[in-house]
Amino acid sequence: MVQNIIVVGGGIGGTMTANNLVAKLYPEIIRGKARVTLISNSPWHYYKPAFMYVAFGAFYKNELRRPQASLLRPEIDFVLDEVEGFEFKDSRLRMASGKSYDYDYLVVSTGCIPSPERISGLKEAGDHFYQHDPARELYKKISTIEKGRIFIGVTFPTTPNVPHQCGIAPMETTLMLDEFLRKRGVRDQIEIVYTYPTVSQLVRNCLFLQKDTGAVLPSIFDSKDIKHKRGFTLASVDPERKVAISEEGDEEDFDILMQTPPIRAVDAVINSGASQAPNNEGWLPTDRHSLQLEGYENVFVMGDTVDLPISKAGGSCHNQSPVICNNIAGLMRFGETPAEYDGRVQAIAQMGMEVGMPLWYDYDVDVIPTPPTKIGGLMRKGFNRGIYWSVARGLV
């Protein structure tokens, strides 16, 4: 009997995992004992982390996409449809097209959705770079502003010990913004203010969600005349007055509000009834080592959809994917899950327009900050321009 493995989500996590599953289960696939299917609601795969660069005019939309089918091994069945219902108890997916798919094993890699509408006034008056169109709008503003105040803030999920999307991005874009405005010759006329909420996962009153990195930021920001403020948790925005209001009772005026927005899971995940997350955020309860959905041995969760205290970023997916593939293969072949995820994440932080800082961490060891270098910047450029697509294809 054919074992049906379905991966839902055509982002970096789902794409690399579908490809990695074919490599791992190739003996079963060529004998007709296993089938791998990827379901995505888009014919295009976007390199979403590079939307950050769109905000600085460094990339355009068509540079950042490939046809989804072109990234998949030929053994993968690609289904262009949207999941409307996860029926975990029956191992079944209900689709927008009216079809349904039964599975033996399922990988949920559906990402998250930036949701500025969850904070009053933020959608109307705020800007962010986590999607293409908002990033373009932000670029129009920072490329024309001549004087004023750019206020930068970060919103964390209300679920305890769960990070926002791409944890290092607010710090990266703050440093990129400083350099961008200096190249425009207007930096002396524009005040940049970087803020962080009172509670960031398990850390309080800091400038970053990990202590060692947060400790070095003041000196970096001071050297660039970037103002910084702890304990500003955005509660609402007054679009008419252009004022950001915090839960702590402070008010800050702005000409541009660059705010990491609230995030949530996709509708089908929220409506599945499996999430225990507060505020209807929808994160799925995930075993921190096996990456199985709690209560369902044949369902695995990865990337932004998990409720784990680990970065919602591609660098997490890169390390979660082989664990999931090994565990599905282990269950099929031996009835056990042999692999464990240790929380590992790696990335190259963009610490300005031209320099980068390699970083890695896991559940037990935080990032150890190192001086950014031009070589690090070249490494990031190489990833942006080509290596990423090899990662998606499961080659790296």
Side-chain angles (χ1 to χ4, degrees), residues 23 53 55 69 98 126 138 156 197 226 247 284 357 373:
Y53 297 92
L138 178 56
F156 276 75
I226 297 171
E247 293 180 3
L284 291 177
M357 178 184 75
T373 65

Side-chain angles (χ1 to χ4, degrees), residues 152 174-175 178 182 187 192-194 218 220-228:
I152 299 165
T174 298
L175 297 173
D178 170 74
R182 291 184 189 280
R187 177 66 178 89
I192 299 176
V193 183
Y194 171 96
I220 294 174
F221 287 156
D222 289 344
S223 70
K224 299 176 182 295
D225 195 27
I226 297 171
K227 305 296 190 296
H228 45 89

Side-chain angles (χ1 to χ4, degrees), residues 332-368:
M332 289 175 60
R333 293 168 179 168
F334 310 113
E336 61 184 34
T337 54
E340 290 191 348
Y341 178 54
D342 59 4
R344 188 176 305 170
V345 181
Q346 76 277 322
I348 300 173
Q350 190 79 57
M351 304 295 284
M353 300 301 290
E354 300 296 334
V355 296
M357 178 184 75
L359 58 89
W360 51 91
Y361 61 97
D362 56 34
Y363 287 138
D364 300 317
V365 179
D366 283 352
V367 171
I368 300 174

